[in-house]
Amino acid sequence: MPVLDLRQDKRAMSHPRLPYLERIELFAPLPERSRARIADIAGLQRFSNHGYLFREGEEPDFIYCFVEGGIALIGGADGQEAVIEFFGPGESVLLPAALLGLPYLVSGRATSDGQALLIPAGKLRQLIDEDVALAAQCARVLSRHWRALISQIKEIKTHGAAERLAHFLVSQTGKSKGPATLVLPGMKKEVATRLGIKPETLSRTLKKLRDYGVDTEGDTIRIASLERLAALTSATAGQDQADT
Amino acid sequence: MPVLDLRQDKRAMSHPRLPYLERIELFAPLPERSRARIADIAGLQRFSNHGYLFREGEEPDFIYCFVEGGIALIGGADGQEAVIEFFGPGESVLLPAALLGLPYLVSGRATSDGQALLIPAGKLRQLIDEDVALAAQCARVLSRHWRALISQIKEIKTHGAAERLAHFLVSQTGKSKGPATLVLPGMKKEVATRLGIKPETLSRTLKKLRDYGVDTEGDTIRIASLERLAALTSATAGQDQADT
DNA sequence: GCACGGCCTTGATCCAAATCAAGGCACCAG
DNA sequence: CTGGTGCCTTGATTTGGATCAAGGCCGTGC
């Protein structure tokens, strides 16, 4: 259980937290004056792997901006949990719940040790009505998140497991050509539900992708050619093989 | 092909369009002064059923705010098209693409005749950096959209076809108890892909739901008890029956 | 009136992924 | 070293939904 310990020493200098703010996409482009206002109300919080930072149904107290490490956003009741998306350094979560003052739709579980900036939801809601730069930047970040979810829904509705996995791996590398190596952003179990499949299926599907130049070693994955893998995103990935 | 005809008679009164703006969730809560600025750049556009208003990949020229009638947001290439979501009166689409200046991720096809307000993307992007009220309201509307998509992803990843259909029907009524009647927001074919299933499966699943008090007649659906239907959202909807 | 073309339903069959069921392996704690 | 306890893989089997294949039921145009 992460215990809160954000000491809001407004009287003292808030500057010590400013360098962190600069690493968050939500705040980086803001004018210094706006960032300072945020720094005044922000607190830094450590968290450790597999711990829950917040849970579905709770009232929104904070938004979380990841400085180091990250979490999986998890939806659904016990036994039927599914990872919606992974978030890591520079990204923030829960802005929608905070702005609307509605209960969280998802839980957040750490996928590594790390630190996050916590911004009180109430204060943020207040600031957003006074600070154009902040409000506009929130709209832009929310827009990016919206597009990411749209892509995921399209993917789920139009592609099979192998294609989804291939696309996911490619997007995780952040590159688009040549060879690449990546580390999965969570346990295989979690990655599976992020893709809308079961762990067993992920295991088997990863094996199928070996024939397309994908090599697995624990949670590290080596891809021989991103082009080749991306190609099968659109093709009928499922032909059989593997005898002998 | 809807031909554009937004005459921006800024010199003349923009007031004739103001009453329309008041019916759009994105603009309704804004102060009069902000709404007037939007009215200055907005144009009204008629569209007819089954026509495309915009297509995936195009550069963002406008956002669309529906005054009457609505569309389906469609993703995926030919033959693999899937409806992401339906939008109707009072709602708006494409704000994310417009704010970021990135190509549309989805196409929009009308599900009825209707009219939409078109707001030029460039102008809007400009206004958002100058008008706090507008920027904050965009953030809130985007937040609501984000939450809707999250709910859909959760649903797809954790529930089977019957449960998803049941939940969809309940949410379409806008109510939560007692009996209800609703009209599907599009062709059955489209509703099916919205739910992530095929038309044949939708047909069969609707039949299964008859035993739970769901009666179908064309695109009109009558539900005996919303509670009963909502109950099976979480249960194992799939037991067999139907002999005799 | 009649033929054609969409949309929807229904039935038969197939298949991708889920489920059920063992192990294997790594990482502790004692 | 030894016995858990998770996580992951692998194999056998089942199943929910897809696919294939007819029709039925409109509208619409000729």
Side-chain angles (χ1 to χ4, degrees):
Chain A
M1 281 85 267
V3 176
L4 292 203
D5 180 24
L6 30 142
R7 35 200 99 204
Q8 305 173 30
D9 293 338
K10 288 190 201 162
R11 294 160 305 176
M13 48 219 44
S14 53
H15 297 225
R17 261 174 252 110
L18 268 174
Y20 293 123
L21 286 182
E22 278 157 26
R23 312 221 54 218
I24 308 296
E25 67 164 345
L26 184 57
F27 305 123
L30 296 182
E32 215 172 304
R33 189 174 158 65
S34 295
R35 258 207 315 279
R37 274 195 287 261
I38 304 281
D40 275 343
I41 59 172
L44 195 61
Q45 165 77 28
R46 290 180 178 283
F47 56 85
S48 51
N49 200 0
H50 298 130
Y52 278 87
L53 303 207
F54 49 90
R55 285 178 191 271
E56 189 171 336
E58 290 175 353
E59 297 293 322
D61 292 323
F62 301 101
I63 75 165
Y64 295 69
C65 310
F66 301 100
V67 171
E68 193 197 319
I71 64 163
L73 234 46
I74 299 176
D78 181 65
Q80 291 287 125
E81 298 189 335
V83 170
I84 308 278
E85 191 52 288
F86 296 101
F87 290 85
E91 301 182 302
S92 8
V93 297
L94 300 183
L95 189 50
L99 290 188
L100 299 174
L102 295 172
Y104 301 143
L105 287 176
V106 289
S107 305
R109 186 169 55 207
T111 54
S112 66
D113 293 347
Q115 316 182 60
L117 282 166
L118 309 206
I119 321 287
K123 298 268 182 57
L124 185 65
R125 209 149 69 225
Q126 210 173 299
L127 276 184
I128 235 188
D129 286 316
E130 299 163 357
D131 185 333
V132 219
L134 175 63
Q137 179 60 11
C138 283
R140 278 186 284 264
V141 167
L142 285 166
S143 291
R144 243 173 266 135
H145 286 180
W146 187 85
R147 289 170 64 95
L149 294 187
I150 287 286
S151 297
Q152 187 178 153
I153 292 178
K154 270 169 60 175
E155 191 96 10
I156 293 177
K157 289 186 182 171
T158 62
H159 298 301
E163 295 153 274
R164 297 207 297 268
L165 173 55
H167 187 184
F168 177 77
L169 293 178
V170 171
S171 71
Q172 284 292 312
T173 65
K175 299 171 50 186
S176 68
K177 45 192 357 173
T181 301
L182 69 103
V183 175
L184 292 175
M187 291 181 299
K188 288 226 177 74
K189 197 208 300 208
E190 293 170 328
V191 171
T193 63
R194 158 64 179 78
L195 292 168
I197 60 181
K198 300 284 152 181
E200 294 95 322
T201 304
L202 174 59
S203 193
R204 288 187 245 268
T205 308
L206 269 171
K207 195 152 50 159
K208 277 190 202 160
L209 290 189
R210 274 212 289 262
D211 302 320
Y212 294 87
V214 176
D215 250 308
T216 307
E217 190 188 321
D219 58 2
T220 300
I221 301 203
R222 183 169 288 278
I223 300 170
S225 156
L226 288 170
E227 293 89 325
R228 185 137 75 103
L229 202 53
L232 115 167
T233 295
S234 44
T236 316
Q239 69 244 57
D240 58 309
Q241 25 56 251
D243 60 290
T244 313
Chain B
M1 280 77 267
V3 176
L4 292 203
D5 179 26
L6 31 142
R7 34 200 97 204
Q8 304 175 30
D9 294 336
K10 288 190 205 164
R11 295 160 302 175
M13 46 219 46
S14 53
H15 296 228
R17 260 173 254 110
L18 269 175
Y20 293 123
L21 286 183
E22 279 157 25
R23 312 218 55 217
I24 308 296
E25 66 165 347
L26 183 56
F27 305 123
L30 297 182
E32 215 173 303
R33 191 175 155 64
S34 295
R35 260 208 312 279
R37 273 196 288 261
I38 305 280
D40 275 344
I41 59 172
L44 194 60
Q45 165 77 26
R46 289 180 177 284
F47 56 84
S48 52
N49 200 359
H50 298 132
Y52 278 88
L53 303 207
F54 50 88
R55 284 177 191 272
E56 188 171 337
E58 291 175 352
E59 297 293 323
D61 292 324
F62 301 101
I63 74 164
Y64 295 69
C65 310
F66 300 101
V67 171
E68 192 197 320
I71 64 163
L73 235 47
I74 299 176
D78 181 66
Q80 290 288 124
E81 299 189 333
V83 170
I84 309 279
E85 191 54 286
F86 296 101
F87 290 85
E91 301 182 302
S92 6
V93 297
L94 300 182
L95 189 51
L99 290 188
L100 299 173
L102 296 172
Y104 301 144
L105 287 176
V106 289
S107 304
R109 187 169 54 205
T111 54
S112 66
D113 294 347
Q115 315 182 60
L117 282 166
L118 309 207
I119 320 286
K123 298 268 182 57
L124 185 66
R125 208 149 69 226
Q126 209 173 300
L127 276 184
I128 235 188
D129 286 316
E130 300 162 356
D131 185 334
V132 219
L134 176 62
Q137 180 60 11
C138 283
R140 278 185 285 263
V141 167
L142 286 166
S143 292
R144 244 173 266 136
H145 286 179
W146 187 86
R147 287 170 65 96
L149 294 187
I150 288 286
S151 297
Q152 188 178 154
I153 293 178
K154 270 168 60 173
E155 190 95 11
I156 294 176
K157 289 185 180 169
T158 61
H159 298 302
E163 294 153 273
R164 297 208 296 269
L165 173 56
H167 187 183
F168 177 76
L169 293 178
V170 171
S171 71
Q172 284 291 312
T173 66
K175 299 169 52 186
S176 68
K177 43 191 358 173
T181 302
L182 68 103
V183 175
L184 292 175
M187 290 181 299
K188 288 227 177 76
K189 197 207 301 203
E190 293 170 328
V191 172
T193 63
R194 158 64 179 77
L195 293 168
I197 60 181
K198 298 286 151 179
E200 293 95 323
T201 304
L202 173 59
S203 193
R204 289 187 245 268
T205 309
L206 269 171
K207 196 151 52 159
K208 276 190 204 159
L209 291 189
R210 275 214 287 264
D211 302 319
Y212 294 87
V214 176
D215 249 308
T216 307
E217 190 188 319
D219 58 2
T220 300
I221 301 206
R222 184 169 289 278
I223 300 170
S225 157
L226 289 170
E227 293 90 325
R228 185 139 74 103
L229 203 53
L232 114 169
T233 294
S234 44
T236 314
Q239 68 244 55
D240 57 307
Q241 28 56 252
D243 59 287
T244 313

